[in-house]
Amino acid sequence: MYQLIKPIFFQFDPEKVHYFVVKRLKWFHDHFPLGKTILRSSFDVNIKGLEREVFGIKFKNPVGLAAGFDKNGEYIEALSNLGFGFIEVGTVTPLPQPGNDKPRMFRLEEDSALINRMGFNNKGVDTLAERLRLLRSKDSDIVVGGNIGKNKNTPNEDAVSDYIKCFDRLFDVVDYFVVNVSSPNTPGLRELQEKGPLMNLLNTLQQRNKKNDISRPILLKIAPDLTNEQLDDIVEIVMQTGIAGVIATNTTIDKSGLKSPEKISTEAGGLSGKPLTVRSTEVIKYLSDKSNKAFPIIGVGGIHSPKDAQDKLDAGASLVQLYTGFIYEGPGIVKRICKELVKK
């Protein structure tokens, strides 16, 4: 069914279509008689043998929705009924910000890819925290991760304070945190991936984490464009700071070898989708091998099929996440992946 509808969706601006679809999904879930039941019966994954515990959290299945799809936590309940084992919201910043100028998302259909330069557009951490607090008041068992960043106008020397504000505000309402220093769409952000600034940031958050009777797993989301030497630093940083793990990978700035027209493929922003499949898997395997599987990895980047997901798990990932593959392949991809994984 989705493959019949997709050509219609793809005639319109990607960002406008995104909000058109998720708003109607939420309405269908919340207000249509039996809407929730229909979604669950069609897409939810109720398959034994997929449950797993990673960094102290129990996941009903290993397939999650990556950050960026639901930045403000507005559609969590509806999306969770499409079969996802966990939902990651954000990237959120302390203050609301509009993000970069539109248009800022582009489809590369010949490559089954997207380019985005959204720029951490979000309604701010206070709005997200209140929305998640309402979700928790319903005794929801949905596993939710909070992806945190800094505001565009915050200089890098003050970035730690932005991450602390988001961390403190979301601590009681998320299950795990993701520190995003790898988006290519906030000027200077990737400089925080350098060893010194990154150690300082993660150590500060870990100290904050230990002040609470209950700590939260903190993961680091990294770029696929890091060299092996930089990946070696990542392994060392994770081990020294004691954070829970890594998400590999974010979008790439490498746009070589694309099939799509140059007018689209040279747009500024991060590239996601099939062109990232191989590289993200390579990064996962390198980190897993180099660390001797010392910490969990969430694999994301170019998962468009059950095989893509299995390849990332075989490379060393404990969990996987979808974004662009979800858009190109439709909501049925979650169940298809899970059905194949359980056979393994």
Side-chain angles (χ1 to χ4, degrees):
M1 176 64 76
Y2 180 77
Q3 296 305 320
L4 296 176
I5 301 173
K6 186 174 76 171
I8 300 174
F9 289 159
F10 276 31
Q11 294 298 311
F12 300 95
D13 175 79
E15 187 173 356
K16 289 180 180 178
V17 168
H18 172 81
Y19 287 112
F20 176 86
V21 171
V22 293
K23 285 178 180 179
R24 277 145 190 82
L25 175 67
K26 177 177 172 57
W27 180 89
F28 183 79
H29 176 273
D30 293 348
H31 302 294
F32 188 82
L34 299 179
K36 181 176 179 179
T37 302
I38 292 171
L39 288 175
R40 282 192 168 181
S41 63
S42 301
F43 300 110
D44 198 18
V45 178
N46 187 18
I47 304 172
K48 292 183 179 181
L50 289 174
E51 304 89 352
R52 57 187 63 190
E53 184 171 325
V54 184
F55 38 79
I57 299 173
K58 293 182 179 179
F59 297 84
K60 68 176 184 179
N61 73 63
V63 183
L65 181 63
F69 200 92
D70 186 7
K71 292 175 180 290
N72 299 299
E74 297 172 278
Y75 313 105
I76 294 173
E77 290 181 281
L79 290 167
S80 70
N81 284 299
L82 300 182
F84 290 108
F86 59 108
I87 307 282
E88 192 172 306
V89 295
T91 299
V92 67
T93 55
L95 299 176
Q97 60 182 29
N100 294 321
D101 293 340
K102 300 177 182 179
R104 52 194 182 183
M105 181 177 285
F106 308 89
R107 295 188 200 92
L108 286 69
E109 294 187 49
E110 292 88 341
D111 297 288
S112 296
L114 295 172
I115 290 175
N116 93 82
R117 52 171 180 263
M118 304 299 287
F120 289 174
N121 58 305
N122 73 103
K123 296 178 181 179
V125 72
D126 287 340
T127 296
L128 177 60
E130 289 307 312
R131 192 165 282 132
L132 293 178
R133 194 173 303 283
L134 178 61
L135 178 70
R136 295 308 188 198
S137 71
K138 299 177 182 179
D139 198 28
S140 170
D141 62 353
I142 303 169
V143 175
V144 177
N147 188 302
I148 59 177
K150 78 173 188 72
N151 281 112
K152 180 178 180 179
N153 293 331
T154 302
N156 278 0
E157 55 266 28
D158 299 326
V160 173
S161 65
D162 273 17
Y163 286 91
I164 288 174
K165 289 173 186 175
C166 292
F167 184 84
D168 287 348
R169 193 72 178 85
L170 295 179
F171 187 87
D172 293 330
V173 291
V174 299
D175 296 289
Y176 69 89
F177 283 96
V178 179
V179 176
N180 188 351
V181 291
S182 53
S183 169
N185 301 317
T186 296
L189 184 72
R190 285 191 170 192
E191 294 172 9
L192 295 175
Q193 289 184 120
E194 296 299 325
K195 190 173 183 180
L198 190 54
M199 284 284 290
N200 178 49
L201 171 58
L202 295 178
N203 276 326
T204 302
L205 288 175
Q206 280 289 67
Q207 290 167 7
R208 203 82 173 182
N209 205 11
K210 291 175 182 177
K211 288 183 180 179
N212 298 285
D213 293 334
I214 302 172
S215 62
R216 301 285 185 221
I218 299 174
L219 292 90
L220 173 68
K221 189 164 188 174
I222 64 170
D225 309 306
L226 299 179
T227 65
N228 286 350
E229 290 75 17
Q230 289 172 313
L231 291 175
D232 291 343
D233 285 342
I234 294 296
V235 172
E236 183 179 345
I237 289 166
V238 173
M239 302 295 284
Q240 288 187 9
T241 60
I243 65 169
V246 168
I247 297 186
T249 63
N250 212 321
T251 57
T252 181
I253 57 174
D254 180 6
K255 300 183 177 74
S256 58
L258 296 175
K259 304 171 187 175
S260 298
E262 185 176 355
K263 181 180 178 181
I264 297 295
S265 61
T266 56
E267 287 282 355
L271 176 71
S272 61
K274 283 190 177 181
L276 193 53
T277 305
V278 173
R279 177 56 186 164
S280 62
T281 305
E282 289 174 348
V283 172
I284 292 165
K285 180 169 175 52
Y286 187 92
L287 292 173
S288 180
D289 290 349
K290 190 73 177 181
S291 68
N292 196 26
K293 305 186 188 307
F295 49 81
I297 300 169
I298 299 179
V300 57
I303 299 177
H304 287 245
S305 69
K307 181 181 183 302
D308 295 335
Q310 187 65 60
D311 286 347
K312 283 178 168 46
L313 295 170
D314 290 343
S318 301
L319 305 165
V320 295
Q321 289 178 326
L322 308 178
Y323 186 110
T324 306
F326 182 59
I327 293 170
Y328 274 89
E329 308 303 328
I333 187 176
V334 182
K335 182 176 280 189
R336 290 197 299 272
I337 289 173
C338 288
K339 283 184 175 180
E340 289 301 312
L341 293 183
V342 79
K343 294 178 182 178
K344 301 289 184 179

